Amino acid sequence: MKIHEYQAVEFFRQYGIATAKGAPAFTPDEAVEVAKTLPGPVYVVKAQIHSGGRGKAGGVKIAKSLDEVRTYASQLLGATLVTKQTGPEGKQVNRLFITEGVDIEKEYYVSFAVDGATARVVMMASAEGGTEIEEVAANTPEKIVKEYIDPTVGIRGYQARHAAGMLGLDGDETKQFIKIVTGMYRLFMAMDCSLVEINPLAKLKDGRMVAIDAKVNFDDNALFRHKELEELRDVTEEDPKEVEAHKYDLNYIPLKGNIGCMVNGAGLAMATMDIIKYFGAAPANFLDCGGGATAEKVAGAFEILLSDKEVKGIMVNIFGGIMKCDVIAEGIVEASRQVGVKVPLVVRLEGTNAEKGKEILSSSGLNITPADSMADAAQKIIALIKA
Ligand code: GDP
Ligand code: MN
């Protein structure tokens, strides 16, 4: 789950990470009110969208007076920003973050993320701040220093000092850097983050080290431990299909193909996508509806699949283990009646009470094509969407 910069800055403050002063604004009037509380005479008006690269896309404006704050705020609110990360359709700006303008001497990069290969949290830092770190990683990887953190002891002083040395920081800057990265690591662990990033971390002309940008992403699988984060969610930034899936507690990821998949279990869902690919077509999504597939959940899943205009057919692949196939079949029939499925629907049921389940499907009077195996189901749905 992503949050906005101004929300991430709140976490930075809680964890003692130095940031520029600022507050959110939703109207030009509010933007001016916020600016009046800041030191001035230079302010920064920043578009709040769930995307990086705002600076290059014109989403970060340096204002030299309160009048300019109002002008930029009016320009940005309601505008659509197209950044490297938004895709060509861009994202509409509905919120702003107004900060004090600071005098930057040099920009650095620092982040914490999970490294899959070592199964550890990794700190990455670079003297090439402000630019896109992906480009630094691709062209000059030696300019990024990585410190892998042992979870039993946490980040060590020597790791922070080593990174500071690689960035060329002096003694006082190193002290500030250690405080910042220690706060970032504590935040990362305490809130089950998947990313905590500062780009740029700025060294100011007055010697202070300050976070000029703030990015905090949370691990979706740990959100149940942090119910309070739900109110930070900005659903206008998310794919409506994913928002809907979250409501039904479905694990859903939209993809580019045209065969909608409804499966129980993540492993089976991946195998289902594989077999669709194997027979020459492409899945429209990953969808794991979990162990407790109630009729309501199945209906919700169908609605999401059908709201995707690219979906030309649906393949249901259920292995009834704890759930019984007849219960699932009833759910499918009920959901099909409720939602009105107009595209071909192929259902493969296996496991406990599979025979009873198939009987329910065939006597339902609905246009459901039963399948005997995964391969059979994949071939049948592909044939049907081509027909
Ligand atoms: P991003 O482009 O979405 O990553 O947005 P950032 O928040 O990183 O802002 C982009 C750039 O704007 C930064 O890299 C800075 O160079 C510049 N910037 C932001 N705030 C200030 C400021 O207070 N003073 C100065 N001089 N530049 C700033
Ligand atoms: Mn940035």
Side-chain angles (χ1 to χ4, degrees):
M1 173 184 152
K2 294 181 179 178
I3 57 173
H4 289 294
E5 177 191 8
Y6 75 90
Q7 297 166 321
V9 162
E10 281 299 320
F11 284 102
F12 280 14
R13 288 173 185 154
Q14 277 172 40
Y15 285 84
I17 301 162
T19 62
K21 293 191 183 72
F26 297 80
T27 64
D29 282 341
E30 268 178 40
V32 173
E33 286 312 307
V34 171
K36 280 181 185 165
T37 69
L38 301 173
V42 179
Y43 312 93
V44 188
V45 181
K46 308 181 83 173
Q48 299 294 285
I49 52 172
H50 286 183
S51 165
R54 295 164 303 165
K56 275 189 190 141
V60 177
K61 305 281 191 197
I62 310 281
K64 297 197 177 68
S65 66
L66 292 175
D67 277 345
E68 282 190 21
V69 168
R70 182 182 299 281
T71 307
Y72 288 134
S74 313
Q75 276 174 17
L76 283 175
L77 283 168
T80 298
L81 280 188
V82 179
T83 77
K84 251 190 162 168
Q85 294 175 11
T86 58
E89 69 280 8
K91 280 197 157 157
Q92 196 187 336
V93 181
N94 302 313
R95 309 175 186 202
L96 299 172
F97 186 36
I98 314 299
T99 72
E100 60 174 327
V102 291
D103 258 339
I104 299 176
E105 188 174 306
K106 183 163 171 48
E107 300 191 344
Y108 302 90
Y109 173 93
V110 58
S111 72
F112 287 78
V114 178
D115 178 63
T118 56
R120 290 200 165 182
V121 172
V122 61
M123 173 174 80
M124 287 185 277
S126 175
E128 301 287 310
T131 44
E132 265 156 275
I133 198 67
E134 289 82 1
E135 272 168 35
V136 183
N139 303 328
T140 48
E142 70 281 0
K143 289 185 175 167
I144 301 175
V145 51
K146 293 184 183 176
E147 299 287 342
Y148 297 91
I149 295 156
D150 183 333
T152 58
V153 291
I155 186 165
R156 313 263 62 200
Y158 75 84
Q159 294 181 304
R161 280 193 295 278
H162 178 245
M166 298 290 283
L167 300 193
L169 303 183
D170 69 18
D172 182 54
E173 288 154 14
T174 299
K175 250 165 70 187
Q176 299 185 61
F177 181 78
I178 291 174
K179 183 154 187 250
I180 289 167
V181 295
T182 308
M184 289 172 81
Y185 181 71
R186 284 196 300 125
L187 164 60
F188 191 98
M189 298 307 286
M191 297 310 292
D192 292 309
C193 296
S194 54
L195 179 71
V196 174
E197 183 187 75
I198 303 177
N199 188 25
L201 171 63
K203 175 164 81 187
L204 306 188
K205 297 231 165 83
D206 63 12
R208 283 184 298 147
M209 302 280 294
V210 174
I212 294 298
D213 193 2
K215 194 160 168 185
V216 172
N217 295 351
F218 302 102
D219 180 346
D220 289 335
N221 291 313
L223 285 178
F224 73 96
R225 298 209 284 206
H226 310 282
K227 299 267 190 281
E228 74 283 7
L229 293 178
E230 194 57 38
E231 66 187 58
L232 300 184
R233 188 181 284 275
D234 181 356
V235 293
T236 64
E237 290 281 341
E238 298 176 9
D239 183 328
K241 297 196 289 294
E242 289 182 67
V243 174
E244 201 59 16
H246 180 73
K247 228 168 61 192
Y248 289 103
D249 198 21
L250 298 161
N251 197 350
Y252 169 85
I253 295 161
L255 300 167
K256 303 234 181 291
N258 61 7
I259 297 178
C261 303
M262 199 183 83
V263 191
N264 65 334
L268 192 60
M270 287 195 278
T272 304
M273 300 191 307
D274 280 348
I275 204 152
I276 288 171
K277 283 254 177 191
Y278 179 80
F279 287 108
N285 64 282
F286 169 95
L287 197 158
D288 166 17
C289 55
T294 59
E296 195 201 357
K297 245 184 166 180
V298 174
F302 271 166
E303 266 176 64
I304 292 161
L305 296 186
L306 293 170
S307 71
D308 182 345
K309 296 283 168 283
E310 296 303 313
V311 168
K312 300 288 179 272
I314 294 175
M315 172 170 166
V316 176
N317 188 11
I318 300 281
F319 181 79
I322 300 165
M323 285 290 294
K324 295 187 181 66
C325 286
D326 54 326
V327 175
I328 292 163
E330 273 163 14
I332 293 171
V333 171
E334 203 180 309
S336 310
R337 290 213 170 103
Q338 274 174 27
V339 184
V341 184
K342 300 202 173 51
V343 294
L345 175 59
V346 174
V347 179
R348 179 250 180 173
L349 284 175
E350 207 49 81
T352 313
N353 294 355
E355 285 314 313
K356 255 171 106 179
K358 286 174 191 168
E359 213 177 284
I360 291 167
L361 293 181
S362 59
S363 61
S364 70
L366 289 163
N367 187 15
I368 296 172
T369 308
D372 295 322
S373 67
M374 278 175 66
D376 184 37
Q379 285 169 298
K380 277 181 173 154
I381 190 66
I382 292 169
L384 282 167
I385 63 168
K386 280 185 182 153

